[in-house]
Amino acid sequence: MNPRAVIFDAYGTLFDVASIAEACVGITSDPARLVALWRAKQLEYSFLRALIGPAGYVDFWQVTADAFDFAAQVLDLSLSEGDRRRALEGWLHVRPYAEVSAALERLARDGRACLILSNGSPFMLDAAVSAAGLADRFTAVLSVDAVHTYKPHPRVYQLAVDALGVPAEEQLFVSSNGWDAAGARAFGYRVVWVNRAGAPTERLGFPPDATVSDLSALPLLVDHPQTEARPAEPY
Ligand code: LAC
């Protein structure tokens, strides 16, 4: 593929959102269900706020707090302020997937710029990247907060083009979120979809250039222009 830079989505791609269940132990008998409901509502609110437009923007920390309160009410949880704070702070030390550090190290060794481009607000991203010990792996951590909207709005994908002065088609965008992969492809990036969960292909058009099951295959894919992982499934 030989891109000049590799742009990573954060949550679900580098960081395991399911690990936030550890911060919810003790507040519900089913932390995994709470986190699944929470994450789905968080994404829904981000899409809706982007559609509302500038008046609808609040940062991702607020979106995350609002989604938590909704999910907690669905499950009829009665929580103290301390419980709520502990759960929310789970996002500040969300665990990276096991293969992330080695994959980033390998990409950096080859001299490639690696960036994050995420819905996360800057302090959330900085905290998670630092807690994971990955701060020196990234050339830049870009947040949608700079443009007050959310993925998959094209203004977000423009951020990495502007930051690097490199056209989208010379960069590789990597996301585990199928809708994010489609948005980045529609914008013009080359795209790898990290289908960790064996999820069905999103019916959005704009299929990825390649699909991998985790990030360990990425350095090889990037270094060898002829190498393609499993080709994107036809629609
Ligand atoms: C992000 C969301 C999509 O990191 O998880 O941008």
Side-chain angles (χ1 to χ4, degrees):
M1 287 187 152
N2 212 16
R4 290 170 64 188
V6 185
I7 315 299
F8 291 91
D9 167 61
Y11 305 115
T13 301
L14 300 171
F15 299 110
D16 182 2
V17 172
S19 74
I20 292 168
E22 287 163 24
C24 302
V25 169
I27 65 173
T28 166
S29 58
D30 194 348
R33 174 144 187 258
L34 171 60
V35 171
L37 278 170
W38 183 5
R39 171 66 169 167
K41 199 69 187 174
Q42 179 200 49
L43 291 176
E44 183 186 329
Y45 280 162
S46 68
F47 301 146
L48 292 170
R49 287 189 174 279
L51 275 173
I52 291 168
Y57 183 79
V58 295
D59 80 2
F60 204 57
W61 183 248
Q62 184 65 50
V63 166
T64 300
D66 292 339
F68 176 80
D69 291 339
F70 185 96
Q73 194 172 349
V74 169
L75 297 180
D76 204 18
L77 305 180
S78 82
L79 303 175
S80 68
E81 233 351 274
D83 292 334
R84 182 176 182 271
R85 195 184 60 247
R86 262 191 308 284
L88 282 169
E89 285 176 357
W91 288 85
L92 307 183
H93 45 84
V94 57
R95 200 167 52 221
Y97 286 100
E99 82 285 6
V100 165
S101 180
L104 290 171
E105 192 185 335
R106 171 78 196 281
L107 290 168
R109 216 187 302 145
D110 297 341
R112 273 189 223 278
C114 290
L115 287 82
I116 290 177
L117 176 56
S118 171
N119 278 349
S121 54
F123 92 92
M124 292 172 75
L125 293 168
D126 288 347
V129 167
S130 297
L134 297 173
D136 59 353
R137 295 274 180 258
F138 295 104
T139 310
V141 177
L142 306 175
S143 164
V144 300
D145 202 51
V147 288
H148 280 201
T149 187
Y150 286 101
K151 296 173 182 177
H153 197 293
R155 277 220 312 273
V156 174
Y157 298 113
Q158 183 68 35
L159 282 170
V161 173
D162 292 346
L164 293 169
V166 172
E169 59 273 20
E170 293 176 30
Q171 302 187 43
L172 182 66
F173 190 90
V174 180
S175 184
S176 66
N177 296 289
W179 56 269
D180 186 23
R185 188 72 200 85
F187 182 80
Y189 288 100
R190 304 200 67 188
V191 170
V192 170
W193 179 34
V194 188
N195 187 7
R196 295 181 180 281
T201 303
E202 295 288 359
R203 269 60 172 184
L204 281 171
F206 309 105
D209 297 284
T211 301
V212 295
S213 57
D214 65 39
L215 291 175
S216 52
L218 194 65
L220 193 67
L221 193 63
V222 164
D223 283 347
H224 296 270
Q226 306 313 323
T227 311
E228 293 290 326
R230 184 161 56 82
E233 286 161 29
Y235 284 78

